[in-house]
Amino acid sequence: MMQELGLVGVALMMFLENVFPPIPSELIMPAAGFAAALGKMNIIAVIIAGTLGSVLGALPLYYLGTMFDEQRLYQLTKKYGKYLLIDTNDITNTQTWFNKYGKAVIFFGRMIPAIRSLISIPAGMNRMPLLPFLVLTAIGSAIWTTLLAYAGYVLGANYEQVATFIAPISKMVVLTTVMVLGVVIFFRIKKHFFTQDK
C-alpha cells in the first residue's frame, strides 16, 4: 500500500491501525522510515503522514465512546451491574478519576503498545472536549511515530527488529493490565459475598 500510495498509504495504514488495533504501527512506521532511508519518501513527511493518520483514526473510537452517555451507563449499571460486580458509584468514581487524570492518560496512552487505540473510547465516554483530545492525541502520536520512523530509518532493511523489540513491552503492558484487573475482580467478588453473608 505504501508503494502504491506513498504518503497517503502511510496515513491510511496508521488510520486503520487505530480503528483495527491488531494492525501493528510497530511495522508500518519503521517500514516507512526504511523507505525514507532509500530516498523514496521524505522522513519528515512520513512522520507527518503517520501522525495525521493516527489522529484521524482516533476519532471513530472517540465518537463511539460518546454514544454511551452518563445516563445510559447508569441505567445499564443498575440493570446488569450486579453480574459484573459494579455499581453506579463505580461510574461516578471513574468519571471523577478521568476528569482529574484524563489528559495525562490520553497523552501517554498514545505511546503505550496494546492500549493506544482503545484509549480514545473512555475519552469519548467522559465527554473530553474534542480540541484538547485532538491536541494531546496529536502530540503523543507524533512522538510515537517519530520514534518508530526514525528507528526504521536507522535500522534500514532490518526495520522489523523494531517490532521484535517492542513486542515484549506490549506483552508486559497487557499482562500487567490483566493482573490488575484480576486483583480488582477478586476483591470485588470477596466484597460482594462478604456483604451478602452479613
Side-chain angles (χ1 to χ4, degrees):
M1 189 175 288
M2 282 189 277
Q3 286 180 347
E4 293 293 325
L5 301 176
L7 293 171
V8 174
V10 175
L12 182 57
M13 290 297 290
M14 289 301 288
F15 172 85
L16 293 174
E17 186 261 347
N18 277 270
V19 179
F20 305 104
I23 300 174
S25 61
E26 293 91 338
L27 282 177
I28 299 167
M29 291 310 300
F34 173 51
L38 295 176
K40 295 180 180 179
M41 288 187 275
N42 179 278
I43 187 66
I44 302 298
V46 161
I47 293 167
I48 292 171
T51 302
L52 179 63
S54 206
V55 172
L56 292 176
L59 288 173
L61 295 181
Y62 172 86
Y63 283 112
L64 176 65
T66 62
M67 294 171 64
F68 296 92
D69 59 25
E70 188 174 344
Q71 192 60 37
R72 184 178 295 182
L73 282 173
Y74 278 124
Q75 290 172 351
L76 289 171
T77 303
K78 285 178 180 177
K79 194 171 183 180
Y80 303 108
K82 59 185 177 183
Y83 303 113
L84 301 172
L85 305 175
I86 60 174
D87 57 34
T88 53
N89 288 331
D90 295 320
I91 302 299
T92 304
N93 291 337
T94 300
Q95 289 176 327
T96 302
W97 183 87
F98 195 89
N99 289 335
K100 190 172 183 180
Y101 303 108
K103 291 181 179 179
V105 170
I106 296 301
F107 174 73
F108 289 108
R110 302 305 306 177
M111 295 175 273
I112 300 174
I115 69 163
R116 63 179 170 273
S117 300
L118 300 177
I119 202 67
S120 302
I121 296 175
M125 289 176 68
N126 287 276
R127 298 298 191 276
M128 184 177 188
L130 185 58
L131 184 58
F133 171 76
L134 289 175
V135 170
L136 291 165
T137 298
I139 296 170
S141 297
I143 294 170
W144 180 246
T145 54
T146 299
L147 289 172
L148 293 180
Y150 184 71
Y153 189 88
V154 172
L155 288 171
N158 298 314
Y159 69 86
E160 289 186 6
Q161 289 179 7
V162 177
T164 305
F165 173 74
I166 291 175
I169 299 172
S170 181
K171 288 175 183 175
M172 283 297 294
V173 170
V174 173
L175 183 63
T176 303
T177 304
V178 169
M179 287 174 64
V180 169
L181 285 174
V183 170
V184 170
I185 290 169
F186 171 77
F187 282 108
R188 280 296 169 86
I189 292 172
K190 187 177 178 182
K191 180 183 175 184
H192 180 72
F193 286 109
F194 181 75
T195 305
Q196 275 190 337
D197 290 340
K198 281 189 172 182

